[in-house]
Amino acid sequence: MFTGAAHTLRVAQPSLSHAIRLLERELGTPLFHRLGRGVMLTSAGEAFVEPARQVMRDLENARSVVRTIAGLAGGTLDIVAPTTLAVDPLADLAGAFRRRHPAIDIVIVEPPNAAVVADVVRTGECELGLADVRTHGKAVETLEPGAVQAGGSGGGATLRPLSSGRTGGAQ
């Protein structure tokens, strides 16, 4: 059974049969009537087709979004930095980044104080943080001043206070 489907999917027929049995066990009902050398969808199988197709479309959409972000072809870079560092050196760094990756929006978040920068990065609220105080702790890499360089003038970023919450894009 499932020989034609296995051939179309380029998988071994026993593997496909096993996967279908596992799915039917998980769903708690058969999806196919096994008829000698053929199969036919049960009522549950017929009801399952469109939601399964939607899952496959959603999965492809998710893959596309991840490929876009991973390839720096789109998305948002959230940076936390005090106002003094947002002007220098961050403005130049953000400008250089925007010239290389124009489809990436940059949102610069202003923390209530420099001591919380590492926590904002560590919790994932922002991907990058600049601070004028030394931070220690797990999951945060510290670069010394001068370790990152950029050329040209800054721009192309949005500055907002941390307390306003994330916006998911440039403002």
Side-chain angles (χ1 to χ4, degrees), residues 115-166:
V116 302
V117 169
D119 290 333
V120 172
V121 173
R122 191 176 295 113
T123 61
E125 184 170 347
C126 289
E127 290 84 20
L128 180 66
L130 272 70
D132 50 6
V133 296
R134 182 166 298 282
T135 60
H136 297 286
K138 298 176 183 174
V140 175
E141 182 176 345
T142 303
L143 300 176
E144 294 301 319
V148 179
Q149 304 258 328
S153 61
T158 301
L159 179 63
R160 66 174 174 78
L162 181 60
S163 61
S164 70
R166 291 187 67 171

Side-chain angles (χ1 to χ4, degrees), residues 93-105:
L93 294 170
F97 184 87
R98 287 284 300 192
R99 283 188 294 282
R100 292 185 71 196
H101 308 286
I104 305 287
D105 293 323

